[in-house]
Amino acid sequence: MKEFKVIEGGVCAAQGFRASGVYCGIKENPTKKNDIAMIVSDVVCNAAGVYTQNKVKGAPVVVTKKNLEKSGGKAKAVIVNSKNANTCNADGEEKADEMCRLTAEALGIKQEEVIVASTGVIGQVLPIEPIKAAVPELVKKLSYEGNVEAATAIMTTDTVKKEYAVEVTLGGKLCRIGGMAKGSGMIHPNMATTLNFITTDAAISSEMVKKALSEIVKVTYNCLSVDGDQSTNDTCVLMANGLAENPEITAEGADFDEFKAALYQVMANLTKMLAKDGEGATKLLTCVCSGAPDLDTAIIVAKSVIRSPLFKCAMFGSDANWGRILCAVGYAEADFDINKVAVDLSSRAGSIHVCENGAGVDFSEETAKTVLTEDEITISVDLNAGDVSATAWGCDLTYDYVKINGDYRS
Amino acid sequence: MKEFKVIEGGVCAAQGFRASGVYCGIKENPTKKNDIAMIVSDVVCNAAGVYTQNKVKGAPVVVTKKNLEKSGGKAKAVIVNSKNANTCNADGEEKADEMCRLTAEALGIKQEEVIVASTGVIGQVLPIEPIKAAVPELVKKLSYEGNVEAATAIMTTDTVKKEYAVEVTLGGKLCRIGGMAKGSGMIHPNMATTLNFITTDAAISSEMVKKALSEIVKVTYNCLSVDGDQSTNDTCVLMANGLAENPEITAEGADFDEFKAALYQVMANLTKMLAKDGEGATKLLTCVCSGAPDLDTAIIVAKSVIRSPLFKCAMFGSDANWGRILCAVGYAEADFDINKVAVDLSSRAGSIHVCENGAGVDFSEETAKTVLTEDEITISVDLNAGDVSATAWGCDLTYDYVKINGDYRS
């Protein structure tokens, strides 16, 4: 696959995007880490979002959908807080609307051009006063180098910020695509994702923004599982402001394919970062399902392996318990012949072939231990039933996952 | 619901069932705990089984199905080992057949009247020699009080044996239904179950045995989740030998309903034991979903809550993080209005009402801590959309689950 040049700048890598992040005190926090962020484009963007399929939807999800419908897929700003998901609250939508109103007023733009998102504890009333006080400060601090302040403001149990950006040439013009994301628990996106904000200065129509986003989400964020719990606030937004002045992409073709390839690189790398920083994780697990008859089968099988708690624990223990991989392949809801399946485990330390035709083969336990003691493990599952592949990302299940989630609210 | 009289005897509670268990050394084990068991009925039984839906099926599952088909739903003996699942082995079926042949020969019965099951590590070749040596000993030790020896022989990571039995009067005759089961990881049955053997001296036709078993499995074992991993060797068998001499149950009616009610009590209690002894568990979690429009919806919602890793961790921490319950209710694949949902948490220490109309209500954190510090917690989810209920059973997710599964094979 083509590799695009990786650049700095995250959500500000594309021209004309400013960002900021501050601490406003949504929840008392002695370390005063940033808890609210803003992203603003100099000009109106074509924008699209994909959202959680959970019946419980955070109020910001409902409001963002409403705004993008009202504006006809146009957006100019994002306001996003952490520490409180503004979900399952009787006054949730009112508060999310108020966040948009405050942002629009401060920036002198239309309320429906604001995208709002929240992440944190579910079912606690969102205090609006600290946000009200923070908006002018966020506007004042907006900067073309504000990406790090913004990326740190959306962190919850994340231990590192997640940013990624690339350059891509479209119609002879150099364009940029960048983004930021947050993890790191309640991660099992389905036709949606955790919080992700992608910006680009490429010129691309609203319709094609939407198409590119949904195609690439399917093979990136939707192939990610930290714990099998699908969040109520999953939101992924792509904003394109056109400042790179390439000929606008309005239909399928070479430019659209190139744009999608670059978008894939950004989103796949953010997905990997989310998996690697999954709550309590010590290892990034990448499952590549090949030899599938179709893409859906490949995705379902790869995700089933990545989700299995027993397999995740085995990886934490560097134990080549491949029977658990085959078990998870076997209960994946897809149609294929289990007796043709082959499995390999690999890392930078080497690889072992553990299963052929659905049955075990001899391997060296010593080599297995060496391979699995690494912190990035690839599980290759070949269905031998076609030529389609998909990749899913996850992490091991550790004591720290239990620790973090045994008392998250406090 | 009617409560039947609980009696001792487990799988030997019903007349005419003998059992035994010994250590044969399938895997080296310094404590020499029993690893193989036999159950034999004095007369031929009408029998039925339900099995894993995993595409990866343990060889014993395949052989048991084949035998029951060949015998026309008749069985006389069970042979079952732990420590090795005899799954994903090229010679698996051959070995499972051999276990049946050895048992049949030693008992002087037909090979297809033998039910075979295995549980333990997947993908390791089953050594047949220790089993061959053990069969005569098992036959010699068969006893009407052998239930405990048998129940301990099927334990893997279980910390306690699981047995339960009741008395039920059918057609004026006192009958008994009893059983044994094993846990305690890779537990997420789907139209099937973990290893469970139920015996009864009631007279009931093969057809009605099958019908009763599948109806009751649906609302007991299939409503159980320890970790979301569906085993490759799930097998639940019901054997009825008719020695109680009640008029044979051959159709629906009062006797069949009574039989099912008693069977439910046995299987629901074994299910609870499996949940409570889930790997690493410190708490039994019971989710009752009421107010559902139909049984499938109630089951799907209750199981979704019980399966959520985040909720399970919160329960380990005695944290009333009800947002995670609503999150899991929200991603359950069923059709209902999330804005009508109410949630209560209760235990023998009291109860708290945490959610009404899909939104949070004030509750005392102090009371919540008192309620949740108990070791048996009930989560009541009312969908307010009908009058059907279902119960699902599970356990908390703890450090010990990770510890047990980080290096299970060694």
Side-chain angles (χ1 to χ4, degrees):
Chain A
M1 203 175 292
K2 183 170 175 178
E3 284 278 326
F4 297 88
K5 189 184 165 195
V6 179
I7 55 174
E8 295 293 309
V11 85
C12 292
Q15 291 176 79
F17 284 97
R18 289 176 298 157
S20 59
V22 301
Y23 168 72
C24 74
I26 288 167
K27 195 175 165 185
E28 271 181 63
N29 174 1
T31 59
K32 300 205 186 305
K33 282 185 189 147
N34 286 358
D35 56 7
I36 191 159
M38 191 178 277
I39 308 169
V40 179
S41 170
D42 293 346
V43 296
V44 170
C45 300
N46 291 328
V50 288
Y51 314 95
T52 185
Q53 297 299 302
N54 197 314
K55 276 183 205 65
V56 180
K57 287 187 209 319
V61 171
V62 176
V63 169
T64 293
K65 272 175 102 164
K66 183 183 70 179
N67 285 358
L68 280 175
E69 270 167 33
K70 193 172 173 191
S71 70
K74 304 286 178 188
K76 215 176 162 188
V78 173
I79 178 99
V80 49
N81 72 275
S82 57
K83 308 289 178 264
N84 185 312
N86 191 19
T87 299
C88 298
N89 295 323
D91 65 353
E93 285 186 42
E94 203 180 300
K95 296 272 179 70
D97 273 332
E98 181 65 3
M99 286 173 70
C100 294
R101 199 192 60 75
L102 290 165
T103 305
E105 196 178 66
L107 294 169
I109 64 173
K110 292 181 197 157
Q111 189 171 330
E112 63 265 28
E113 289 171 349
V114 181
I115 285 162
V116 59
S118 301
T119 178
V121 181
I122 297 171
Q124 291 187 351
V125 174
L126 180 72
I128 198 75
E129 287 308 322
I131 295 173
K132 202 169 180 172
V135 166
E137 202 189 341
L138 283 167
V139 173
K140 201 174 132 196
K141 282 199 162 180
L142 280 172
S143 150
Y144 296 112
E145 286 88 37
N147 54 293
V148 173
E149 291 294 326
T152 50
I154 60 170
M155 289 164 66
T156 52
T157 50
D158 305 69
T159 65
V160 294
K161 67 179 171 67
K162 282 99 181 167
E163 296 188 290
Y164 196 87
V166 296
E167 280 178 356
V168 52
T169 302
L170 298 168
K173 295 282 184 180
L174 192 64
C175 305
R176 286 142 288 256
I177 306 177
M180 67 182 195
K182 80 115 219 158
S184 62
M186 209 178 265
I187 304 287
H188 185 74
N190 178 25
M191 298 303 289
T193 172
T194 167
L195 295 193
N196 290 271
F197 305 96
I198 315 287
T199 55
T200 179
D201 47 19
I204 173 168
S205 69
S206 292
E207 193 195 339
M208 299 314 279
V209 163
K210 203 167 179 171
K211 195 168 157 58
L213 183 65
S214 73
E215 278 184 39
I216 303 302
V217 160
K218 179 174 177 171
V219 291
T220 55
Y221 298 133
N222 279 0
C223 290
L224 165 69
S225 186
V226 166
D227 52 18
D229 273 312
Q230 185 195 356
S231 162
T232 55
N233 286 45
D234 288 342
T235 299
C236 178
V237 173
L238 171 59
M239 296 167 74
N241 69 9
L243 288 178
E245 299 188 327
N246 58 302
E248 190 179 37
I249 300 168
T250 56
E252 306 219 14
D255 277 3
F256 185 61
D257 289 343
E258 192 75 353
F259 179 81
K260 282 196 298 182
L263 184 63
Y264 175 84
Q265 187 171 327
V266 172
M267 291 171 63
N269 276 284
L270 286 170
T271 300
K272 271 172 76 169
M273 290 179 197
L274 289 166
K276 187 160 187 173
D277 193 35
E279 284 177 341
T282 69
K283 289 182 187 185
L284 170 66
L285 307 179
T286 304
C287 181
V288 180
C289 174
S290 62
D294 54 70
L295 184 61
D296 285 342
T297 298
I299 290 173
I300 288 166
V301 170
K303 277 188 85 165
S304 188
V305 172
I306 286 300
R307 182 180 182 172
S308 159
L310 286 171
F311 170 63
K312 287 153 65 80
C313 286
M315 289 299 97
F316 174 52
S318 303
D319 179 21
N321 197 330
W322 63 269
R324 292 180 180 168
I325 300 173
L326 219 63
C327 176
V329 170
Y331 62 66
E333 293 192 2
D335 192 25
F336 55 89
D337 181 358
I338 194 76
N339 296 311
K340 287 185 178 174
V341 173
V343 179
D344 282 78
L345 295 166
S346 59
S347 72
R348 64 178 74 81
S351 82
I352 45 167
H353 185 55
V354 292
C355 172
E356 186 72 40
N357 297 322
V361 292
D362 283 338
F363 60 88
S364 151
E365 288 285 351
E366 201 182 332
T367 311
K369 209 77 187 173
T370 310
V371 169
L372 297 179
T373 305
E374 294 292 323
D375 65 354
E376 297 198 2
I377 311 293
T378 299
I379 306 95
S380 305
V381 176
D382 189 344
L383 301 184
N384 284 304
D387 56 6
V388 183
S389 295
T391 302
W393 296 270
C395 58
D396 53 348
L397 175 54
T398 70
Y399 297 122
D400 280 353
Y401 178 84
V402 177
K403 187 174 181 184
I404 291 164
N405 288 300
D407 197 9
Y408 173 63
R409 293 188 314 156
S410 64
Chain B
M1 201 174 292
K2 183 169 174 180
E3 285 278 326
F4 296 89
K5 188 182 164 196
V6 179
I7 55 174
E8 295 293 309
V11 86
C12 293
Q15 291 177 77
F17 285 96
R18 289 176 297 157
S20 59
V22 301
Y23 167 72
C24 74
I26 288 167
K27 195 175 164 182
E28 268 182 65
N29 174 2
T31 59
K32 301 205 185 303
K33 283 184 188 147
N34 285 359
D35 57 7
I36 190 159
M38 191 178 277
I39 307 169
V40 179
S41 171
D42 293 347
V43 296
V44 170
C45 299
N46 291 328
V50 288
Y51 313 95
T52 184
Q53 297 299 302
N54 197 315
K55 276 183 204 68
V56 180
K57 287 188 208 319
V61 171
V62 176
V63 169
T64 293
K65 272 175 103 164
K66 183 183 71 178
N67 285 358
L68 280 175
E69 270 167 35
K70 191 171 174 191
S71 71
K74 304 286 178 189
K76 215 174 163 191
V78 173
I79 177 99
V80 50
N81 72 276
S82 57
K83 310 288 179 265
N84 184 313
N86 191 18
T87 299
C88 297
N89 295 325
D91 65 354
E93 286 186 43
E94 201 181 303
K95 296 273 179 70
D97 271 332
E98 180 65 5
M99 285 173 72
C100 295
R101 199 192 61 76
L102 290 165
T103 305
E105 195 178 66
L107 294 169
I109 63 173
K110 291 181 199 159
Q111 189 171 331
E112 63 265 28
E113 288 172 349
V114 181
I115 285 163
V116 59
S118 300
T119 179
V121 181
I122 297 171
Q124 291 187 352
V125 174
L126 180 71
I128 198 75
E129 286 308 322
I131 296 173
K132 201 168 180 174
V135 166
E137 201 189 344
L138 284 167
V139 173
K140 200 174 135 196
K141 282 197 161 181
L142 280 172
S143 149
Y144 296 111
E145 288 89 35
N147 54 292
V148 173
E149 291 293 327
T152 50
I154 60 171
M155 290 165 66
T156 53
T157 50
D158 305 68
T159 64
V160 294
K161 68 179 171 65
K162 283 97 181 169
E163 296 188 290
Y164 197 88
V166 297
E167 280 178 358
V168 52
T169 303
L170 298 167
K173 295 283 184 179
L174 191 64
C175 305
R176 285 141 289 255
I177 306 178
M180 67 182 194
K182 79 115 220 159
S184 61
M186 207 177 266
I187 304 287
H188 186 74
N190 178 24
M191 299 299 291
T193 172
T194 165
L195 294 193
N196 291 271
F197 305 96
I198 316 289
T199 55
T200 180
D201 47 19
I204 174 168
S205 69
S206 291
E207 193 195 342
M208 299 315 278
V209 163
K210 202 167 181 173
K211 194 166 158 55
L213 183 65
S214 72
E215 279 185 37
I216 303 303
V217 160
K218 179 174 178 171
V219 292
T220 56
Y221 298 132
N222 279 359
C223 291
L224 164 68
S225 185
V226 166
D227 50 19
D229 273 312
Q230 185 195 355
S231 162
T232 53
N233 287 47
D234 289 343
T235 299
C236 178
V237 173
L238 171 58
M239 295 168 74
N241 69 10
L243 289 178
E245 298 188 329
N246 59 300
E248 190 180 35
I249 300 170
T250 55
E252 306 219 13
D255 276 3
F256 185 61
D257 289 344
E258 193 75 354
F259 179 80
K260 282 196 297 180
L263 183 62
Y264 175 84
Q265 187 171 325
V266 172
M267 290 172 64
N269 276 285
L270 287 171
T271 301
K272 271 173 76 169
M273 291 178 196
L274 288 166
K276 187 161 187 172
D277 193 34
E279 284 177 340
T282 69
K283 289 181 187 185
L284 170 66
L285 307 178
T286 304
C287 181
V288 180
C289 175
S290 63
D294 54 70
L295 184 60
D296 285 342
T297 299
I299 291 174
I300 288 165
V301 170
K303 276 188 86 166
S304 188
V305 172
I306 285 300
R307 183 180 183 172
S308 159
L310 286 170
F311 169 63
K312 286 153 66 80
C313 285
M315 289 299 97
F316 174 52
S318 303
D319 179 22
N321 196 331
W322 63 270
R324 293 180 180 168
I325 300 173
L326 219 63
C327 175
V329 170
Y331 63 65
E333 292 191 2
D335 192 26
F336 55 89
D337 181 358
I338 194 78
N339 297 310
K340 288 186 176 173
V341 173
V343 180
D344 283 78
L345 294 167
S346 59
S347 71
R348 63 179 73 82
S351 81
I352 44 166
H353 185 55
V354 292
C355 172
E356 186 71 40
N357 297 322
V361 292
D362 283 338
F363 61 87
S364 151
E365 289 284 351
E366 201 181 333
T367 311
K369 208 77 188 173
T370 311
V371 169
L372 297 180
T373 304
E374 294 291 324
D375 66 353
E376 297 197 2
I377 311 292
T378 298
I379 306 96
S380 305
V381 176
D382 190 344
L383 301 184
N384 284 302
D387 56 7
V388 183
S389 296
T391 302
W393 296 270
C395 58
D396 54 347
L397 175 55
T398 70
Y399 297 121
D400 280 352
Y401 178 84
V402 177
K403 187 174 180 184
I404 292 164
N405 288 299
D407 197 11
Y408 173 63
R409 292 189 313 157
S410 64

